[in-house]
Amino acid sequence: LTLTGNVTLVNPTTEQVGQSGFIVFIQDGTGGRTVSLGTQYKTSGGVNTLSLSSTASAIDVVPYIVSAADSILLGTPQLNFS
């Protein structure tokens, strides 16, 4: 997902319990974009945003797993791949 502005991950409607994967976030050439989370997303700190790299063109990877209906657990972001 290339971030061209601040975004909110909306709650999905097609998730399946046990589904897992990674979300790749790429800052555009401007950088500094933020990601807020819909109500189904859960983080270990209970915050409603992800702490991602802010530099232009930074690539961050966030693991996730669908633990229950309407509950998506997000892992610790792996930051600043190049």
Short mmCIF file of all heavy atoms in Angstrom, two decimals:
data_model
loop_
_atom_site.label_atom_id
_atom_site.label_comp_id
_atom_site.label_asym_id
_atom_site.label_seq_id
_atom_site.Cartn_x
_atom_site.Cartn_y
_atom_site.Cartn_z
N LEU A 1 0.86 -1.16 0.00
CA LEU A 1 0.00 0.00 0.00
C LEU A 1 0.90 1.23 0.00
O LEU A 1 1.61 1.47 0.98
CB LEU A 1 -0.90 -0.02 1.23
CG LEU A 1 -1.79 1.18 1.49
CD1 LEU A 1 -2.78 1.39 0.35
CD2 LEU A 1 -2.53 1.01 2.80
N THR A 2 0.92 1.97 -1.09
CA THR A 2 1.71 3.20 -1.14
C THR A 2 0.91 4.33 -0.51
O THR A 2 -0.22 4.60 -0.92
CB THR A 2 2.08 3.56 -2.60
OG1 THR A 2 2.86 2.50 -3.15
CG2 THR A 2 2.89 4.85 -2.64
N LEU A 3 1.51 4.96 0.48
CA LEU A 3 0.85 6.03 1.22
C LEU A 3 1.07 7.35 0.51
O LEU A 3 2.18 7.87 0.48
CB LEU A 3 1.39 6.08 2.65
CG LEU A 3 1.28 4.79 3.45
CD1 LEU A 3 2.00 4.93 4.79
CD2 LEU A 3 -0.17 4.40 3.64
N THR A 4 0.01 7.89 -0.09
CA THR A 4 0.10 9.18 -0.77
C THR A 4 -0.58 10.28 0.04
O THR A 4 -0.70 11.40 -0.41
CB THR A 4 -0.53 9.09 -2.16
OG1 THR A 4 -1.90 8.68 -2.03
CG2 THR A 4 0.22 8.10 -3.04
N GLY A 5 -1.03 9.92 1.23
CA GLY A 5 -1.68 10.84 2.17
C GLY A 5 -1.92 10.05 3.45
O GLY A 5 -1.67 8.85 3.51
N ASN A 6 -2.41 10.72 4.48
CA ASN A 6 -2.76 10.01 5.71
C ASN A 6 -3.96 9.12 5.43
O ASN A 6 -4.90 9.54 4.75
CB ASN A 6 -3.07 11.00 6.82
CG ASN A 6 -1.86 11.85 7.15
OD1 ASN A 6 -0.72 11.44 6.96
ND2 ASN A 6 -2.09 13.04 7.64
N VAL A 7 -3.93 7.88 5.93
CA VAL A 7 -5.01 6.92 5.62
C VAL A 7 -5.52 6.26 6.90
O VAL A 7 -4.85 6.24 7.93
CB VAL A 7 -4.54 5.83 4.64
CG1 VAL A 7 -4.12 6.42 3.32
CG2 VAL A 7 -3.44 4.99 5.22
N THR A 8 -6.71 5.70 6.79
CA THR A 8 -7.29 4.85 7.83
C THR A 8 -7.58 3.50 7.21
O THR A 8 -8.20 3.42 6.15
CB THR A 8 -8.60 5.46 8.38
OG1 THR A 8 -8.31 6.72 8.97
CG2 THR A 8 -9.23 4.54 9.41
N LEU A 9 -7.10 2.43 7.86
CA LEU A 9 -7.44 1.08 7.41
C LEU A 9 -8.87 0.81 7.87
O LEU A 9 -9.13 0.72 9.07
CB LEU A 9 -6.49 0.05 8.02
CG LEU A 9 -5.05 0.06 7.55
CD1 LEU A 9 -4.27 -1.06 8.23
CD2 LEU A 9 -4.98 -0.11 6.04
N VAL A 10 -9.78 0.70 6.94
CA VAL A 10 -11.18 0.44 7.29
C VAL A 10 -11.35 -1.02 7.65
O VAL A 10 -10.54 -1.87 7.28
CB VAL A 10 -12.12 0.84 6.14
CG1 VAL A 10 -12.06 2.34 5.87
CG2 VAL A 10 -11.83 0.05 4.89
N ASN A 11 -12.38 -1.31 8.40
CA ASN A 11 -12.66 -2.69 8.79
C ASN A 11 -13.03 -3.51 7.55
O ASN A 11 -13.91 -3.12 6.79
CB ASN A 11 -13.80 -2.73 9.80
CG ASN A 11 -13.44 -2.05 11.09
OD1 ASN A 11 -12.29 -2.05 11.51
ND2 ASN A 11 -14.42 -1.45 11.74
N PRO A 12 -12.36 -4.65 7.35
CA PRO A 12 -12.67 -5.48 6.20
C PRO A 12 -13.97 -6.26 6.40
O PRO A 12 -14.47 -6.38 7.52
CB PRO A 12 -11.48 -6.43 6.11
CG PRO A 12 -10.98 -6.52 7.51
CD PRO A 12 -11.26 -5.17 8.13
N THR A 13 -14.50 -6.79 5.31
CA THR A 13 -15.73 -7.58 5.39
C THR A 13 -15.52 -9.02 4.92
O THR A 13 -16.44 -9.82 4.99
CB THR A 13 -16.84 -6.95 4.52
OG1 THR A 13 -16.37 -6.86 3.17
CG2 THR A 13 -17.21 -5.57 5.03
N THR A 14 -14.33 -9.34 4.46
CA THR A 14 -14.08 -10.68 3.91
C THR A 14 -13.02 -11.46 4.66
O THR A 14 -12.57 -12.50 4.19
CB THR A 14 -13.64 -10.56 2.43
OG1 THR A 14 -12.45 -9.76 2.37
CG2 THR A 14 -14.72 -9.92 1.59
N GLU A 15 -12.63 -11.00 5.85
CA GLU A 15 -11.58 -11.69 6.60
C GLU A 15 -12.10 -13.03 7.11
O GLU A 15 -13.29 -13.21 7.34
CB GLU A 15 -11.05 -10.84 7.76
CG GLU A 15 -11.97 -10.73 8.95
CD GLU A 15 -13.03 -9.65 8.84
OE1 GLU A 15 -13.25 -9.11 7.75
OE2 GLU A 15 -13.65 -9.36 9.87
N GLN A 16 -11.17 -13.99 7.26
CA GLN A 16 -11.49 -15.32 7.77
C GLN A 16 -10.66 -15.60 9.01
O GLN A 16 -9.45 -15.31 9.02
CB GLN A 16 -11.18 -16.38 6.71
CG GLN A 16 -11.97 -16.23 5.42
CD GLN A 16 -13.44 -16.53 5.62
OE1 GLN A 16 -13.80 -17.47 6.32
NE2 GLN A 16 -14.30 -15.71 5.02
N VAL A 17 -11.27 -16.17 10.05
CA VAL A 17 -10.53 -16.52 11.25
C VAL A 17 -9.38 -17.45 10.87
O VAL A 17 -9.56 -18.40 10.11
CB VAL A 17 -11.46 -17.18 12.29
CG1 VAL A 17 -10.66 -17.70 13.48
CG2 VAL A 17 -12.53 -16.21 12.75
N GLY A 18 -8.18 -17.14 11.37
CA GLY A 18 -6.98 -17.90 11.05
C GLY A 18 -6.18 -17.32 9.90
O GLY A 18 -5.03 -17.68 9.69
N GLN A 19 -6.78 -16.44 9.14
CA GLN A 19 -6.07 -15.79 8.04
C GLN A 19 -4.91 -14.98 8.60
O GLN A 19 -5.03 -14.36 9.66
CB GLN A 19 -7.04 -14.88 7.29
CG GLN A 19 -6.43 -14.05 6.18
CD GLN A 19 -7.47 -13.13 5.54
OE1 GLN A 19 -8.67 -13.34 5.66
NE2 GLN A 19 -6.99 -12.10 4.89
N SER A 20 -3.79 -14.99 7.92
CA SER A 20 -2.64 -14.21 8.36
C SER A 20 -1.86 -13.74 7.15
O SER A 20 -2.08 -14.21 6.03
CB SER A 20 -1.74 -15.02 9.29
OG SER A 20 -1.20 -16.13 8.58
N GLY A 21 -0.98 -12.81 7.39
CA GLY A 21 -0.17 -12.29 6.30
C GLY A 21 0.59 -11.05 6.73
O GLY A 21 0.83 -10.84 7.92
N PHE A 22 0.92 -10.26 5.75
CA PHE A 22 1.68 -9.04 5.97
C PHE A 22 1.06 -7.91 5.18
O PHE A 22 0.55 -8.13 4.09
CB PHE A 22 3.14 -9.20 5.51
CG PHE A 22 3.87 -10.30 6.23
CD1 PHE A 22 3.88 -11.59 5.72
CD2 PHE A 22 4.51 -10.04 7.42
CE1 PHE A 22 4.54 -12.60 6.39
CE2 PHE A 22 5.17 -11.05 8.10
CZ PHE A 22 5.18 -12.33 7.58
N ILE A 23 1.11 -6.72 5.75
CA ILE A 23 0.73 -5.52 5.02
C ILE A 23 2.02 -4.72 4.82
O ILE A 23 2.75 -4.46 5.78
CB ILE A 23 -0.29 -4.67 5.81
CG1 ILE A 23 -1.50 -5.52 6.19
CG2 ILE A 23 -0.71 -3.46 4.98
CD1 ILE A 23 -2.44 -4.83 7.16
N VAL A 24 2.30 -4.38 3.57
CA VAL A 24 3.50 -3.61 3.25
C VAL A 24 3.07 -2.16 3.01
O VAL A 24 2.21 -1.88 2.16
CB VAL A 24 4.19 -4.17 1.99
CG1 VAL A 24 5.41 -3.33 1.63
CG2 VAL A 24 4.59 -5.63 2.22
N PHE A 25 3.66 -1.25 3.78
CA PHE A 25 3.38 0.17 3.65
C PHE A 25 4.61 0.85 3.05
O PHE A 25 5.73 0.65 3.54
CB PHE A 25 3.09 0.80 5.02
CG PHE A 25 1.84 0.28 5.67
CD1 PHE A 25 1.91 -0.72 6.61
CD2 PHE A 25 0.60 0.80 5.34
CE1 PHE A 25 0.77 -1.21 7.22
CE2 PHE A 25 -0.56 0.32 5.93
CZ PHE A 25 -0.47 -0.68 6.88
N ILE A 26 4.39 1.65 2.02
CA ILE A 26 5.48 2.38 1.35
C ILE A 26 5.15 3.86 1.41
O ILE A 26 4.10 4.29 0.93
CB ILE A 26 5.62 1.93 -0.11
CG1 ILE A 26 5.83 0.42 -0.19
CG2 ILE A 26 6.77 2.69 -0.80
CD1 ILE A 26 5.70 -0.15 -1.59
N GLN A 27 6.04 4.63 2.03
CA GLN A 27 5.87 6.09 2.02
C GLN A 27 6.12 6.59 0.60
O GLN A 27 7.01 6.12 -0.09
CB GLN A 27 6.86 6.75 2.98
CG GLN A 27 6.60 6.47 4.44
CD GLN A 27 5.47 7.31 5.02
OE1 GLN A 27 4.94 8.22 4.41
NE2 GLN A 27 5.10 6.97 6.25
N ASP A 28 5.34 7.57 0.17
CA ASP A 28 5.57 8.16 -1.14
C ASP A 28 6.81 9.06 -1.10
O ASP A 28 7.54 9.06 -0.10
CB ASP A 28 4.33 8.92 -1.63
CG ASP A 28 3.99 10.13 -0.77
OD1 ASP A 28 4.74 10.48 0.16
OD2 ASP A 28 2.94 10.74 -1.05
N GLY A 29 7.06 9.80 -2.15
CA GLY A 29 8.23 10.65 -2.22
C GLY A 29 8.23 11.80 -1.23
O GLY A 29 9.27 12.41 -0.98
N THR A 30 7.09 12.08 -0.63
CA THR A 30 6.99 13.13 0.38
C THR A 30 7.29 12.59 1.76
O THR A 30 8.00 13.22 2.55
CB THR A 30 5.58 13.76 0.36
OG1 THR A 30 5.35 14.30 -0.94
CG2 THR A 30 5.43 14.84 1.41
N GLY A 31 6.76 11.40 2.08
CA GLY A 31 6.94 10.80 3.41
C GLY A 31 6.07 11.48 4.46
O GLY A 31 5.29 12.38 4.16
N GLY A 32 6.20 11.01 5.69
CA GLY A 32 5.46 11.60 6.80
C GLY A 32 4.00 11.22 6.86
O GLY A 32 3.23 11.79 7.63
N ARG A 33 3.58 10.24 6.07
CA ARG A 33 2.18 9.82 6.05
C ARG A 33 1.88 8.94 7.27
O ARG A 33 2.74 8.21 7.74
CB ARG A 33 1.86 9.04 4.78
CG ARG A 33 2.33 9.68 3.50
CD ARG A 33 1.79 11.07 3.30
NE ARG A 33 2.13 11.53 1.96
CZ ARG A 33 1.75 12.68 1.46
NH1 ARG A 33 1.04 13.51 2.20
NH2 ARG A 33 2.08 13.02 0.24
N THR A 34 0.67 9.03 7.79
CA THR A 34 0.28 8.26 8.96
C THR A 34 -0.82 7.26 8.60
O THR A 34 -1.54 7.44 7.62
CB THR A 34 -0.22 9.17 10.09
OG1 THR A 34 -1.38 9.88 9.64
CG2 THR A 34 0.87 10.15 10.52
N VAL A 35 -0.93 6.22 9.44
CA VAL A 35 -1.96 5.20 9.26
C VAL A 35 -2.75 5.07 10.56
O VAL A 35 -2.17 4.76 11.60
CB VAL A 35 -1.33 3.84 8.88
CG1 VAL A 35 -2.40 2.77 8.79
CG2 VAL A 35 -0.56 3.94 7.57
N SER A 36 -4.05 5.33 10.49
CA SER A 36 -4.96 5.09 11.61
C SER A 36 -5.67 3.78 11.37
O SER A 36 -5.71 3.27 10.24
CB SER A 36 -5.97 6.23 11.72
OG SER A 36 -5.31 7.44 12.00
N LEU A 37 -6.27 3.23 12.43
CA LEU A 37 -6.84 1.89 12.34
C LEU A 37 -8.34 1.89 12.61
O LEU A 37 -8.81 2.58 13.50
CB LEU A 37 -6.15 0.98 13.36
CG LEU A 37 -4.63 0.90 13.25
CD1 LEU A 37 -4.06 0.11 14.41
CD2 LEU A 37 -4.22 0.30 11.92
N GLY A 38 -9.05 1.04 11.85
CA GLY A 38 -10.46 0.80 12.12
C GLY A 38 -10.61 0.05 13.43
O GLY A 38 -9.64 -0.43 14.02
N THR A 39 -11.82 -0.09 13.90
CA THR A 39 -12.08 -0.66 15.22
C THR A 39 -11.76 -2.14 15.34
O THR A 39 -11.60 -2.65 16.44
CB THR A 39 -13.55 -0.44 15.62
OG1 THR A 39 -14.39 -1.02 14.61
CG2 THR A 39 -13.86 1.04 15.76
N GLN A 40 -11.67 -2.88 14.22
CA GLN A 40 -11.36 -4.30 14.28
C GLN A 40 -9.88 -4.59 14.48
O GLN A 40 -9.50 -5.69 14.84
CB GLN A 40 -11.84 -5.02 13.02
CG GLN A 40 -13.34 -5.06 12.88
CD GLN A 40 -13.78 -5.81 11.62
OE1 GLN A 40 -12.99 -6.46 10.96
NE2 GLN A 40 -15.06 -5.69 11.30
N TYR A 41 -9.03 -3.61 14.24
CA TYR A 41 -7.59 -3.79 14.34
C TYR A 41 -7.15 -3.59 15.78
O TYR A 41 -7.53 -2.62 16.44
CB TYR A 41 -6.85 -2.82 13.43
CG TYR A 41 -7.12 -3.06 11.97
CD1 TYR A 41 -8.14 -2.40 11.30
CD2 TYR A 41 -6.36 -3.98 11.26
CE1 TYR A 41 -8.39 -2.64 9.96
CE2 TYR A 41 -6.60 -4.22 9.92
CZ TYR A 41 -7.62 -3.54 9.28
OH TYR A 41 -7.87 -3.78 7.95
N LYS A 42 -6.31 -4.50 16.27
CA LYS A 42 -5.81 -4.44 17.65
C LYS A 42 -4.28 -4.43 17.62
O LYS A 42 -3.66 -5.16 16.87
CB LYS A 42 -6.27 -5.66 18.46
CG LYS A 42 -7.73 -6.01 18.33
CD LYS A 42 -8.63 -5.00 18.99
CE LYS A 42 -10.07 -5.50 18.93
NZ LYS A 42 -11.02 -4.51 18.60
N THR A 43 -3.70 -3.58 18.48
CA THR A 43 -2.25 -3.54 18.63
C THR A 43 -1.90 -3.88 20.07
O THR A 43 -2.75 -3.77 20.97
CB THR A 43 -1.68 -2.16 18.28
OG1 THR A 43 -2.21 -1.21 19.20
CG2 THR A 43 -2.02 -1.75 16.86
N SER A 44 -0.66 -4.28 20.31
CA SER A 44 -0.27 -4.67 21.66
C SER A 44 -0.38 -3.51 22.65
O SER A 44 -0.61 -3.71 23.82
CB SER A 44 1.15 -5.25 21.68
OG SER A 44 2.08 -4.27 21.25
N GLY A 45 -0.24 -2.29 22.18
CA GLY A 45 -0.35 -1.14 23.07
C GLY A 45 -1.74 -0.55 23.12
O GLY A 45 -1.99 0.40 23.85
N GLY A 46 -2.65 -1.09 22.32
CA GLY A 46 -4.01 -0.59 22.30
C GLY A 46 -4.18 0.77 21.66
O GLY A 46 -5.19 1.43 21.86
N VAL A 47 -3.20 1.20 20.89
CA VAL A 47 -3.29 2.51 20.23
C VAL A 47 -4.02 2.37 18.90
O VAL A 47 -4.13 1.27 18.35
CB VAL A 47 -1.89 3.14 20.01
CG1 VAL A 47 -1.24 3.45 21.34
CG2 VAL A 47 -1.00 2.22 19.19
N ASN A 48 -4.50 3.48 18.38
CA ASN A 48 -5.29 3.45 17.15
C ASN A 48 -4.50 3.89 15.92
O ASN A 48 -5.06 4.29 14.92
CB ASN A 48 -6.54 4.34 17.32
CG ASN A 48 -7.58 4.05 16.26
OD1 ASN A 48 -7.71 2.92 15.80
ND2 ASN A 48 -8.29 5.07 15.85
N THR A 49 -3.17 3.87 16.03
CA THR A 49 -2.32 4.19 14.90
C THR A 49 -1.14 3.23 14.88
O THR A 49 -0.86 2.55 15.87
CB THR A 49 -1.77 5.64 14.98
OG1 THR A 49 -1.02 5.77 16.18
CG2 THR A 49 -2.88 6.66 14.95
N LEU A 50 -0.45 3.19 13.77
CA LEU A 50 0.79 2.42 13.66
C LEU A 50 1.96 3.39 13.66
O LEU A 50 1.89 4.45 13.03
CB LEU A 50 0.80 1.62 12.36
CG LEU A 50 -0.15 0.45 12.27
CD1 LEU A 50 -0.12 -0.13 10.85
CD2 LEU A 50 0.21 -0.61 13.27
N SER A 51 3.03 3.03 14.33
CA SER A 51 4.25 3.84 14.30
C SER A 51 5.10 3.34 13.15
O SER A 51 5.79 2.33 13.27
CB SER A 51 5.01 3.74 15.62
OG SER A 51 4.26 4.30 16.66
N LEU A 52 5.03 4.04 12.05
CA LEU A 52 5.76 3.65 10.84
C LEU A 52 6.89 4.63 10.56
O LEU A 52 6.92 5.73 11.10
CB LEU A 52 4.80 3.62 9.65
CG LEU A 52 3.61 2.67 9.75
CD1 LEU A 52 2.71 2.83 8.54
CD2 LEU A 52 4.09 1.23 9.88
N SER A 53 7.79 4.22 9.69
CA SER A 53 8.86 5.12 9.24
C SER A 53 8.23 6.32 8.55
O SER A 53 7.20 6.18 7.87
CB SER A 53 9.79 4.40 8.25
OG SER A 53 10.37 3.28 8.84
N SER A 54 8.85 7.46 8.68
CA SER A 54 8.27 8.67 8.07
C SER A 54 9.10 9.20 6.91
O SER A 54 8.65 10.11 6.22
CB SER A 54 8.12 9.76 9.13
OG SER A 54 9.38 10.10 9.67
N THR A 55 10.26 8.63 6.66
CA THR A 55 11.10 9.13 5.58
C THR A 55 10.52 8.77 4.22
O THR A 55 9.85 7.74 4.06
CB THR A 55 12.54 8.58 5.68
OG1 THR A 55 12.48 7.16 5.72
CG2 THR A 55 13.23 9.09 6.93
N ALA A 56 10.76 9.62 3.26
CA ALA A 56 10.28 9.38 1.90
C ALA A 56 10.78 8.03 1.39
O ALA A 56 11.93 7.65 1.63
CB ALA A 56 10.76 10.51 0.99
N SER A 57 9.90 7.29 0.74
CA SER A 57 10.18 6.00 0.12
C SER A 57 10.49 4.87 1.09
O SER A 57 10.91 3.79 0.67
CB SER A 57 11.31 6.13 -0.92
OG SER A 57 10.97 7.10 -1.90
N ALA A 58 10.30 5.09 2.39
CA ALA A 58 10.54 4.03 3.38
C ALA A 58 9.53 2.90 3.17
O ALA A 58 8.37 3.14 2.83
CB ALA A 58 10.43 4.58 4.79
N ILE A 59 9.98 1.67 3.40
CA ILE A 59 9.13 0.49 3.27
C ILE A 59 9.05 -0.20 4.63
O ILE A 59 10.09 -0.55 5.21
CB ILE A 59 9.69 -0.49 2.22
CG1 ILE A 59 9.78 0.20 0.86
CG2 ILE A 59 8.82 -1.75 2.15
CD1 ILE A 59 10.53 -0.62 -0.18
N ASP A 60 7.83 -0.38 5.14
CA ASP A 60 7.60 -1.03 6.43
C ASP A 60 6.68 -2.23 6.21
O ASP A 60 5.79 -2.19 5.36
CB ASP A 60 6.93 -0.07 7.41
CG ASP A 60 7.78 1.16 7.72
OD1 ASP A 60 9.02 1.08 7.59
OD2 ASP A 60 7.21 2.19 8.09
N VAL A 61 6.89 -3.28 7.00
CA VAL A 61 6.09 -4.50 6.89
C VAL A 61 5.43 -4.77 8.24
O VAL A 61 6.09 -4.78 9.28
CB VAL A 61 6.98 -5.70 6.49
CG1 VAL A 61 6.17 -6.98 6.42
CG2 VAL A 61 7.67 -5.43 5.15
N VAL A 62 4.11 -4.99 8.21
CA VAL A 62 3.33 -5.23 9.44
C VAL A 62 2.64 -6.59 9.32
O VAL A 62 1.80 -6.78 8.44
CB VAL A 62 2.29 -4.12 9.67
CG1 VAL A 62 1.47 -4.40 10.92
CG2 VAL A 62 2.96 -2.76 9.76
N PRO A 63 2.97 -7.53 10.22
CA PRO A 63 2.29 -8.82 10.20
C PRO A 63 0.90 -8.71 10.84
O PRO A 63 0.67 -7.86 11.70
CB PRO A 63 3.20 -9.72 11.04
CG PRO A 63 3.89 -8.78 11.97
CD PRO A 63 4.03 -7.48 11.23
N TYR A 64 -0.01 -9.59 10.41
CA TYR A 64 -1.33 -9.61 11.02
C TYR A 64 -1.88 -11.04 11.07
O TYR A 64 -1.44 -11.90 10.32
CB TYR A 64 -2.32 -8.72 10.25
CG TYR A 64 -2.78 -9.33 8.94
CD1 TYR A 64 -3.91 -10.15 8.90
CD2 TYR A 64 -2.09 -9.11 7.77
CE1 TYR A 64 -4.33 -10.73 7.71
CE2 TYR A 64 -2.49 -9.68 6.58
CZ TYR A 64 -3.62 -10.49 6.55
OH TYR A 64 -4.03 -11.07 5.38
N ILE A 65 -2.84 -11.26 11.96
CA ILE A 65 -3.59 -12.50 12.02
C ILE A 65 -5.01 -12.17 12.46
O ILE A 65 -5.22 -11.32 13.32
CB ILE A 65 -2.94 -13.54 12.97
CG1 ILE A 65 -3.69 -14.87 12.88
CG2 ILE A 65 -2.88 -13.03 14.39
CD1 ILE A 65 -2.97 -16.03 13.50
N VAL A 66 -5.97 -12.84 11.83
CA VAL A 66 -7.37 -12.68 12.21
C VAL A 66 -7.63 -13.70 13.31
O VAL A 66 -7.65 -14.90 13.06
CB VAL A 66 -8.30 -12.89 11.00
CG1 VAL A 66 -9.77 -12.74 11.43
CG2 VAL A 66 -7.96 -11.92 9.87
N SER A 67 -7.80 -13.21 14.54
CA SER A 67 -7.91 -14.11 15.69
C SER A 67 -9.35 -14.52 15.99
O SER A 67 -9.60 -15.54 16.62
CB SER A 67 -7.30 -13.47 16.93
OG SER A 67 -8.01 -12.30 17.26
N ALA A 68 -10.31 -13.72 15.57
CA ALA A 68 -11.72 -14.00 15.79
C ALA A 68 -12.51 -13.09 14.84
O ALA A 68 -11.94 -12.17 14.23
CB ALA A 68 -12.11 -13.72 17.24
N ALA A 69 -13.81 -13.34 14.74
CA ALA A 69 -14.63 -12.45 13.93
C ALA A 69 -14.46 -11.02 14.44
O ALA A 69 -14.52 -10.77 15.64
CB ALA A 69 -16.09 -12.87 14.01
N ASP A 70 -14.18 -10.12 13.54
CA ASP A 70 -14.03 -8.69 13.87
C ASP A 70 -12.84 -8.40 14.78
O ASP A 70 -12.85 -7.43 15.54
CB ASP A 70 -15.30 -8.13 14.51
CG ASP A 70 -16.52 -8.27 13.60
OD1 ASP A 70 -16.33 -8.25 12.37
OD2 ASP A 70 -17.64 -8.40 14.12
N SER A 71 -11.78 -9.23 14.73
CA SER A 71 -10.59 -9.00 15.55
C SER A 71 -9.34 -9.34 14.76
O SER A 71 -9.05 -10.51 14.51
CB SER A 71 -10.65 -9.83 16.83
OG SER A 71 -9.52 -9.55 17.64
N ILE A 72 -8.60 -8.31 14.38
CA ILE A 72 -7.37 -8.48 13.59
C ILE A 72 -6.21 -7.99 14.44
O ILE A 72 -6.13 -6.80 14.79
CB ILE A 72 -7.45 -7.69 12.27
CG1 ILE A 72 -8.68 -8.14 11.48
CG2 ILE A 72 -6.17 -7.84 11.47
CD1 ILE A 72 -9.08 -7.20 10.39
N LEU A 73 -5.33 -8.91 14.81
CA LEU A 73 -4.17 -8.57 15.64
C LEU A 73 -3.02 -8.15 14.74
O LEU A 73 -2.64 -8.88 13.82
CB LEU A 73 -3.76 -9.76 16.49
CG LEU A 73 -4.86 -10.38 17.35
CD1 LEU A 73 -4.29 -11.56 18.15
CD2 LEU A 73 -5.48 -9.35 18.28
N LEU A 74 -2.44 -6.99 15.03
CA LEU A 74 -1.29 -6.49 14.27
C LEU A 74 -0.03 -6.70 15.08
O LEU A 74 0.02 -6.37 16.27
CB LEU A 74 -1.46 -5.01 13.96
CG LEU A 74 -2.67 -4.64 13.09
CD1 LEU A 74 -2.75 -3.14 12.93
CD2 LEU A 74 -2.59 -5.32 11.74
N GLY A 75 1.00 -7.22 14.44
CA GLY A 75 2.29 -7.42 15.09
C GLY A 75 3.13 -6.15 15.05
O GLY A 75 2.71 -5.11 14.53
N THR A 76 4.31 -6.25 15.57
CA THR A 76 5.24 -5.14 15.60
C THR A 76 5.72 -4.82 14.19
O THR A 76 6.20 -5.71 13.48
CB THR A 76 6.45 -5.47 16.48
OG1 THR A 76 5.99 -5.79 17.79
CG2 THR A 76 7.43 -4.30 16.55
N PRO A 77 5.61 -3.56 13.74
CA PRO A 77 6.08 -3.20 12.42
C PRO A 77 7.59 -3.42 12.29
O PRO A 77 8.37 -3.10 13.20
CB PRO A 77 5.74 -1.71 12.30
CG PRO A 77 4.63 -1.48 13.29
CD PRO A 77 4.94 -2.44 14.41
N GLN A 78 7.98 -3.98 11.18
CA GLN A 78 9.41 -4.09 10.82
C GLN A 78 9.68 -2.89 9.91
O GLN A 78 9.06 -2.76 8.84
CB GLN A 78 9.68 -5.41 10.10
CG GLN A 78 9.30 -6.62 10.94
CD GLN A 78 10.08 -6.67 12.24
OE1 GLN A 78 11.30 -6.67 12.24
NE2 GLN A 78 9.35 -6.71 13.35
N LEU A 79 10.58 -2.03 10.34
CA LEU A 79 10.70 -0.71 9.73
C LEU A 79 11.87 -0.55 8.77
O LEU A 79 12.91 -1.18 8.91
CB LEU A 79 10.84 0.34 10.84
CG LEU A 79 9.71 0.36 11.87
CD1 LEU A 79 10.02 1.37 12.96
CD2 LEU A 79 8.38 0.66 11.21
N ASN A 80 11.64 0.33 7.80
CA ASN A 80 12.68 0.92 6.96
C ASN A 80 13.48 -0.08 6.14
O ASN A 80 14.71 -0.05 6.15
CB ASN A 80 13.58 1.82 7.79
CG ASN A 80 14.11 2.97 6.96
OD1 ASN A 80 13.61 3.26 5.89
ND2 ASN A 80 15.12 3.63 7.48
N PHE A 81 12.78 -0.99 5.46
CA PHE A 81 13.48 -1.86 4.51
C PHE A 81 13.99 -1.02 3.36
O PHE A 81 13.43 0.01 3.01
CB PHE A 81 12.51 -2.93 3.96
CG PHE A 81 12.24 -4.04 4.93
CD1 PHE A 81 11.28 -3.90 5.93
CD2 PHE A 81 12.93 -5.23 4.85
CE1 PHE A 81 11.01 -4.90 6.82
CE2 PHE A 81 12.68 -6.26 5.75
CZ PHE A 81 11.72 -6.09 6.73
N SER A 82 15.06 -1.47 2.75
CA SER A 82 15.58 -0.74 1.58
C SER A 82 16.01 -1.72 0.52
O SER A 82 16.10 -2.90 0.73
CB SER A 82 16.74 0.15 1.98
OG SER A 82 17.77 -0.61 2.57
#
